[in-house]
Structures are given as C-alpha cells and as structure tokens.
Amino acid sequence: MNKYTVRCLHCGEAHEPYSLNCRNGDDALLRVEYSARQLHPADMPGIWRYKEWLPVQGIIEEGSGKTVTYKSEKLASELGLNDLWIAFNGYWPQRDARMMTCTFKDLESFPTMQRLKEQDEVRIMVVASAGNTARAFSHVCSITGQPLLLVVPQESSHRLWTTHEDTSAVFLATVEGDYFDAISLAGKIASREGFVNEGGARNVARRDGMGTVMLDAVLTAGSLPDHYFQAVGSGTGGISAWEASMRLIEDGRFGSKLPRLHLAQSLPCAPLYSLKYGTDAVAPECPGGMYDDVLFNRKPPYAIKGGVRDALEATGGTVYAIRNKEAAESQSVFEKEEGIDINPAAAVAVAALVKAVQEGNVQPDDRIVLNITGGGQKRLMQDYPVKIIEPSVKVSAKDPNAEDMIVTMVQNVFGVYK
Ligand SMILES: *Cc1c(COP(=O)(O)O)cnc(C)c1O
C-alpha cells in the first residue's frame, strides 16, 4: 500500500504525488490522505518525529527543528486561563527548541526540499518571500546543497541572516517593490524552463509541515484543544491546523471536536478580516504601517475549496484585526511572563488571545493552543555568529528586463538545467 495519496477536494480524484493543481481545471486545493490512520511518532530528529504524516519517504538528517509544546503557567495566570498550551517554534535551548531560523517556516522548507530530492528534481526551486520563508529555505538548501533562487523585496532583505558560512547554494535576488511584486516576478521565472515553483499554500508538504504544530500540541497535551490561536498572513497555517485536526479526529484517541480557529491579522493590512466580515481593513499604504509585514498577503487562498473560508466555517473560526499598540503590549507581557523573546508576528497572535479573553470568546477552563510562530531570535544571536546573505542581484519591479537578467545570471551560477 502507498504511504499516502494526494486527492483533489473538487473532483475527488487521486493525483500524481507532486501535483499542485486539480487536473480538471478547478482551483481547489489537493490534500494528502495517509494510509496510517493513527499517528505514531518516530524516533527521528526534529520535524521527522511526525514523518508518518508528512508526504515524504526519507528525511534530511541534519538541521530541522520541531515545535516544542508546554503548558503555560505565568502567561496563563496573567490572563486567568487554566489550560493554556504554548506551541513554541524557534530557538530556546533551555526547552530544547532548536528551529535554527527561528520561525515555523522551517516546518515548511524541510519537507518541501525532501520531496524535491525524492523527485530527482534538477530544476532550480524559486521561492518568493517577505523574509522568514526565504531564511528557512536558504537554511535547508545550505545543508542539502540544492540550488535555490530567492526573490525577496529589498525592504525585507535584513531578514536574510544565516548561521551557515557557505551559502553558495542560494542565489538571492532583491526587488525594489513589495511582496506582491516579488511573488509575480518569481512566478514568471518559475514558469520558465529549468525552474520550479514551490507552490505556496498549494504545496501539500508546506501545509502538512505546518500541521505538525497541531500534532505536537495534541500529542503533548493529550487531546485536541478547544481553541487554536495563530497570526496569519496567507492563512495557510490555519488551513494546516484544521487539516491536522481532522486527521487527529480520525485517529480516534484525541477527541471528536474540531478546535476553533482564531486567526490574527495585523492592522492596517488585514485582508482576511475584510474577506470574512466584509469590511475594508486594507489601507492603501500596505504593507506599510504593520507591526510585522510578514503578515501581509495580497491574495490569500480564501475562497478556493479547502481554503481559509472553509477552514473558518468548519471550525466556527474567528479572525482578529490587531492594532500595533495591542501587539506591542502583548509582546512585552509574553516576553516578561514566559522569559523568551518572540517574533513580532507571534505577538499579534498573543494580542488576539488577550482580546478573546476580554470578549469572552474563550472560557477560563478551555483548552487553548497558542502557536508562537517565531521566537528566540535574540537568544540565538547570543549563541551563534550570523551573517547577512548578500544579494547576487538587485532589480526593480518596474524593469522589463529584470526577469531575463535574473534567469541568465542564475543559469551562469548554477549551470543550465534541462
Ligand atoms: C509566515 C508567518 C506567519 C503567517 O503564516 P501563514 O502562512 O499565514 O499561516 C506567522 N508568523 C510568522 C513568524 C511567519 O513567518
């Protein structure tokens, strides 16, 4: 029997394992069905503990971290909660958390690159990112040596730090423009011969990688939570948490009720909030003015089958629009109470939890999982020397030759792949 089947949510047909799209032309997501109905954690490093429910055959031994879930005492008591679990993604050696790029994007990059290896793929992977995804992919590619083209808005290039000395597998193109410009340029390049797109929310390895946050939380706490809080840009992490919860219900040992999704966006750029409530929560200056612009995505996978809307509907979910002041206050409270620095995006989720408590959306005895999507960067920088990855080329989004220029340069660096 195959380890897993990739099935389309629209037509129900099984697809080739690496497909990103429905072969019948619908824009629905594909989803993985695992033949193992019950989850047995493996004695393997990092994320591979959950290999059974990842769409991979082998593993990348070195360099991956896993979520570390623990029961909160101090923040919980500050908020008047009795069953709050923190799913920490980042670097915190005292708790054995070793995600070396300090966000949960590491959970997406490792399974994605493992699958690329399994396909004997010689094309160059193209990744567009506002920073954290780029850092996660550059980390894994610096370990495996797989060539990588990163397309990153210039404003985000400070996020491209690395603990690796040798980053020769990475070709970094910075773009004068926003994240959307970077995505559209990357999309054009990825459609050319010799390049391959990583697929974003359509990539089942990314979603099931992020789904391991829920797996870790539930295996640690012992049952599905009543509530799941996460800061979102595209909302893909919310879809993943929902999908993982459905598998855990099928497993039979962890409860039968889907956790309610509480997805937090950062004002003034909260398109998922707008889509859900029909208000206009996207300012013209976006992604300017946000507490953390990694949380901005102009075209989140909302209305497609299996997307964010379905996840919210199935779980009775809520979307929050968080002001910078609320995020900043929550960041200080969290860091003081729990004793670890967190990524500003994660503070937006903490603020949503504070709001949910105030508004009575959660009760004191409810079981709650708070996904800290990134943390411990300051801690890591005390322990490791890091360097900034220098751009191999800088282009303007308005330059009609940008695409050709990048392609030619990348082919010169990595050789032409056919
Ligand atoms: C990417 C990211 C998010 C949002 O992820 P989604 O893809 O929208 O689920 C949240 N926090 C951090 C730190 C991130 O890097």
Side-chain angles (χ1 to χ4, degrees):
M1 191 162 49
N2 286 338
K3 181 186 173 189
Y4 66 92
T5 306
V6 172
R7 199 174 294 285
C8 171
L9 295 174
H10 167 72
C11 65
E13 288 173 24
H15 280 56
E16 193 274 321
Y18 305 108
S19 311
L20 297 174
N21 295 293
C22 173
R23 75 163 88 87
N24 294 314
D26 194 80
D27 63 2
L29 294 182
L30 308 182
R31 188 183 289 159
V32 181
E33 287 169 10
Y34 293 98
S35 53
R37 195 175 63 96
Q38 291 201 319
L39 176 65
H40 304 97
D43 187 14
M44 287 186 185
I47 189 179
W48 312 113
R49 179 173 164 80
Y50 304 112
K51 178 173 175 243
E52 203 172 30
W53 284 2
L54 290 170
V56 296
Q57 306 297 342
I59 70 168
I60 296 163
E61 292 271 347
E62 196 191 323
S64 89
K66 71 179 264 295
T67 307
V68 171
T69 308
Y70 68 95
K71 192 168 183 191
S72 165
E73 285 170 17
K74 293 194 174 154
L75 178 69
S77 122
E78 178 72 24
L79 298 177
L81 296 171
N82 303 318
D83 202 6
L84 173 63
W85 296 78
I86 291 174
F88 183 83
N89 295 284
Y91 181 78
W92 194 358
Q94 288 79 357
R95 290 197 182 267
D96 212 21
R98 291 170 201 282
M99 227 169 254
M100 294 303 285
T101 75
C102 297
T103 81
F104 79 154
K105 295 295 194 302
D106 274 18
L107 301 175
E108 308 179 56
S109 61
F110 276 83
T112 299
M113 295 319 285
Q114 173 58 28
R115 270 158 70 89
L116 206 69
K117 270 171 63 179
E118 289 171 9
Q119 288 176 79
D120 290 325
E121 184 59 81
V122 292
R123 293 178 297 175
I124 296 164
M125 174 143 291
V126 186
V127 172
S129 160
N132 295 342
T133 303
R135 201 165 62 244
F137 275 87
S138 67
H139 172 55
V140 66
C141 291
S142 296
I143 291 167
T144 64
Q146 286 157 291
L148 172 71
L149 167 58
L150 292 177
V151 186
V152 174
Q154 191 157 351
E155 302 261 293
S156 307
S157 58
H158 64 280
R159 296 207 182 94
L160 266 278
W161 53 263
T162 179
T163 51
H164 296 275
E165 294 221 333
D166 180 0
T167 53
S168 54
V170 180
F171 185 103
L172 171 62
T174 57
V175 184
E176 247 173 72
D178 69 9
Y179 179 43
F180 188 72
D181 295 320
I183 289 184
S184 66
L185 183 57
K188 284 188 224 156
I189 296 173
S191 67
R192 310 239 317 217
E193 203 182 333
F195 294 89
V196 58
N197 193 343
E198 55 82 21
R202 303 197 151 275
N203 173 353
V204 292
R206 275 186 86 152
R207 299 213 309 279
D208 290 0
M210 280 201 275
T212 64
V213 177
M214 183 64 87
L215 304 184
D216 194 78
V218 169
L219 259 55
T220 307
S223 75
L224 283 153
D226 300 300
H227 308 277
Y228 170 86
F229 283 80
Q230 192 203 303
V232 292
S234 67
T236 311
I239 301 171
S240 308
W242 169 50
E243 292 177 323
S245 301
M246 286 191 279
R247 292 184 185 123
L248 288 163
I249 288 175
E250 279 288 297
D251 176 300
R253 294 172 293 172
F254 303 107
S256 55
K257 205 169 129 261
L258 285 171
R260 200 172 141 195
L261 296 185
H262 298 260
L263 306 182
Q265 294 228 283
S266 165
L267 286 171
C269 313
L272 288 170
Y273 185 87
S274 297
L275 287 161
K276 167 93 176 142
Y277 301 111
T279 55
D280 185 8
V282 186
E285 70 266 24
C286 289
M290 298 175 77
Y291 194 65
D292 188 343
D293 64 15
V294 305
L295 295 179
F296 187 58
N297 185 309
R298 220 183 275 266
K299 285 188 175 170
Y302 187 72
I304 58 176
K305 192 154 181 56
V308 178
R309 183 172 66 193
D310 286 351
L312 288 168
E313 273 175 12
T315 65
T318 309
V319 182
Y320 299 78
I322 300 298
R323 290 175 204 291
N324 294 352
K325 188 163 168 285
E326 297 167 324
E329 282 168 10
S330 295
Q331 176 147 14
S332 323
V333 171
F334 186 99
E335 293 183 347
K336 177 167 156 279
E337 299 299 338
E338 297 296 329
I340 186 74
D341 64 286
I342 57 173
N343 190 288
V348 172
V350 181
L353 176 60
V354 170
K355 210 168 216 173
V357 171
Q358 284 164 357
E359 291 175 358
N361 283 351
V362 298
Q363 299 307 312
D365 291 328
D366 287 353
R367 176 158 284 184
I368 298 168
V369 169
L370 170 60
N371 183 348
I372 295 297
T373 46
Q377 184 171 324
K378 287 190 186 135
R379 190 67 57 93
L380 180 129
M381 289 187 176
Q382 291 165 4
D383 292 357
Y384 289 85
V386 303
K387 65 168 197 187
I388 296 285
I389 301 178
E390 288 300 323
S392 307
V393 63
K394 299 180 182 185
V395 300
S396 158
K398 295 191 191 79
D399 179 357
N401 294 319
E403 184 188 332
D404 284 337
M405 193 159 87
I406 294 173
V407 167
T408 309
M409 287 182 69
V410 170
Q411 287 173 338
N412 284 338
V413 172
F414 293 130
V416 181
Y417 290 78
K418 284 251 163 74

